[in-house]
Amino acid sequence: LEDGYKGLSHIPHPKDYKWENVVLSTHHYVFEENTADEHINKLNEHIKKVDAAIKKANIPFYLGEFNVAPKGS
């Protein structure tokens, strides 16, 4: 399942559709942060959301893509 850039709260529950062998995947891009600490904070926020989503759906997680610092890494 891909969140489709809509956020993890919009993903369907696999059991509702009788899906098996499903993995949750997101892309994590942060464009507004400038410092390493700001990026770490955003990543930690994302991890908390992912953790809640995978526990709710009882499926594994794969981080498909991410960035670190688009404003001059």
Side-chain angles (χ1 to χ4, degrees), residues 52-69:
I54 61 176
K55 285 178 180 174
K56 178 182 172 186
N58 194 29
I59 57 176
F61 175 74
Y62 174 76
L63 180 59
E65 298 176 8
F66 64 94
N67 74 344
V68 178

Side-chain angles (χ1 to χ4, degrees), residues 14-30:
K15 287 186 180 180
D16 292 344
Y17 297 92
K18 299 180 180 166
W19 294 339
E20 297 178 3
N21 299 318
V22 176
V23 173
L24 172 62
S25 177
T26 64
H27 296 175
H28 182 68
Y29 295 105
V30 180

Side-chain angles (χ1 to χ4, degrees), residues 30-41:
V30 180
F31 296 108
E32 59 277 355
E33 274 63 26
N34 294 303
T35 68
D37 285 340
E38 290 173 332
H39 282 275
I40 290 168
N41 289 338

